[in-house]
Amino acid sequence: MQILEVAEGVILSRPDSFNMNQIITSGQCFRWDEIKTNVWKGVAFDTLLEIELLDDNSYLFKCTKETFYSLWYDYFDFERDYEQIKRSVSGDSFLEKAVVVGDGIRILRQDPFEMLITFIISQCSNIPKIKTNVNILCQKLGAYVEDKHGKDGYYLFPTPKALAENPELIASCGVGYRDKYIVNAARKVLTGELNLDHLRTVSREEAFDALISLYGVGRKVANCVLLFGLQHLDGFPIDLWIKKVLDKHYQGLFDTSRYNGYRGVIQQYMFYYGRTLGASYFE
């Protein structure tokens, strides 16, 4: 991958395993949108970014070089060798196809509190509805930031304090029965009873136990937070799509030990390919 600073921002040429459409439709993030063909805009860590595909091998990140290296390089996990991970599936015919179809997927290194609340919202839902609920939550309870270039501003993800103190507003965001879970989780974080930064430093098992002890957080949500918010890459969330894949291709049993250290990356390839195949494939 080559990185070049230009007047408009930073150009990435020939980045390995990087496809914005695949990343933002892989069920791991909900505040990115394709605002026009091959142009994406999103907010992460209270920062707005626009990315444009210039050609088949180059992306323009519309930010300074300093911001790219201090935030986005880590956020998009550019340090990790995903090509090596893809080579590790050799001999598994389903996964060999999955890593080709989802060739540009990366695991985003996202804010753990945002991931906790987002995946609580995700329970028994779908990607379009999750995006809608999260955006409404941000508009009603997040701070508004004026765009420094005079364009439309954007909303930050709500703080633990904002969510903990406004249960009525949360209930008006269309999250249904999950409102109580959101308030409880926010209060645990606000009081320090749940220290998400600490959970990054402990074992996956200890972090999992802490998350699953929260009111309204089950195994799937806990594993999503582990994977997408706490960088425990052995988190392996099992939703309906993963269950369909496991039942059809692995007789319901999938030995993840072969992929120790990056099981969650394998799960993302499975999830993305499963959704690409569609429900009719699994009937």
Side-chain angles (χ1 to χ4, degrees):
M1 179 174 70
Q2 295 181 340
I3 300 171
L4 175 67
E5 186 174 21
V6 296
E8 299 87 354
V10 176
I11 293 177
L12 269 66
S13 298
R14 297 189 295 277
D16 291 331
S17 306
F18 185 73
N19 182 300
M20 277 301 294
N21 268 334
Q22 291 179 11
I23 290 169
I24 71 171
T25 59
S26 62
Q28 60 173 312
C29 59
F30 303 94
R31 299 203 68 202
W32 283 92
D33 294 291
E34 187 172 17
I35 57 174
K36 58 184 178 182
T37 303
N38 292 331
V39 180
W40 301 268
K41 183 180 285 188
V43 180
F45 293 100
D46 297 345
T47 306
L48 180 72
L49 177 65
E50 190 173 303
I51 300 174
E52 180 178 356
L53 178 65
L54 301 178
D55 55 49
D56 289 344
N57 292 307
S58 299
Y59 285 86
L60 173 64
F61 281 59
K62 297 182 181 180
C63 64
T64 66
K65 188 175 183 179
E66 290 73 22
T67 301
F68 174 78
Y69 277 111
S70 65
L71 174 56
W72 301 115
Y73 186 85
D74 185 62
Y75 176 80
F76 285 105
D77 202 25
F78 282 125
E79 190 68 28
R80 194 176 311 279
D81 185 352
Y82 282 80
E83 296 302 312
Q84 181 178 356
I85 292 174
K86 284 182 276 190
R87 288 192 295 270
S88 75
V89 308
S90 178
D92 184 314
S93 59
F94 181 83
L95 282 174
E96 285 177 344
K97 295 173 185 175
V99 299
V100 172
V101 173
D103 177 69
I105 289 174
R106 288 179 166 272
I107 303 296
L108 301 180
R109 300 169 67 90
Q110 301 179 79
D111 177 78
F113 179 68
E114 181 173 340
M115 290 300 95
L116 174 59
I117 301 304
T118 296
F119 282 102
I120 287 174
I121 291 171
S122 78
Q123 296 175 76
C124 301
S125 191
N126 56 66
I127 290 175
K129 189 173 189 307
I130 298 164
K131 286 174 66 75
T132 297
N133 290 150
V134 170
N135 284 332
I136 292 172
L137 195 74
C138 293
Q139 290 165 13
K140 290 194 174 187
L141 288 150
Y144 182 75
V145 177
E146 294 282 354
D147 187 277
K148 62 183 178 181
H149 301 296
K151 301 177 182 178
D152 292 337
Y154 57 98
Y155 289 91
L156 306 184
F157 195 82
T159 63
K161 187 173 189 293
L163 295 179
E165 295 179 352
N166 292 282
E168 296 83 5
L169 273 178
I170 294 172
S172 71
C173 293
V175 296
Y177 65 88
R178 307 166 193 83
D179 59 344
K180 301 182 293 296
Y181 307 158
I182 293 169
V183 172
N184 177 73
R187 288 174 176 169
K188 297 283 188 184
V189 172
L190 182 63
T191 61
E193 187 174 342
L194 178 68
N195 185 331
L196 291 169
D197 288 333
H198 174 66
L199 295 189
R200 279 193 173 121
T201 68
V202 300
S203 69
R204 188 193 72 82
E205 293 74 19
E206 185 177 341
F208 177 83
D209 289 343
L211 291 168
I212 208 169
S213 70
L214 292 171
Y215 176 48
V217 171
R219 298 182 63 87
K220 185 249 182 178
V221 170
N223 273 304
C224 286
V225 178
L226 287 173
L227 180 57
F228 305 125
L230 296 173
Q231 288 75 59
H232 286 287
L233 292 193
D234 270 336
F236 194 91
I238 298 178
D239 70 343
L240 291 177
W241 286 108
I242 294 296
K243 189 175 187 307
K244 288 176 187 290
V245 169
L246 298 185
D247 288 345
K248 186 174 181 70
H249 289 278
Y250 301 95
Q251 294 75 52
L253 300 171
F254 180 69
D255 183 8
T256 62
S257 63
R258 173 178 173 179
Y259 306 107
N260 282 347
Y262 54 93
R263 294 181 177 114
V265 183
I266 300 301
Q267 184 270 357
Q268 277 296 97
Y269 293 130
M270 279 187 175
F271 174 85
Y272 185 82
Y273 186 37
R275 287 187 74 236
T276 301
L277 291 169
S280 60
Y281 171 81
F282 295 98
E283 291 176 354

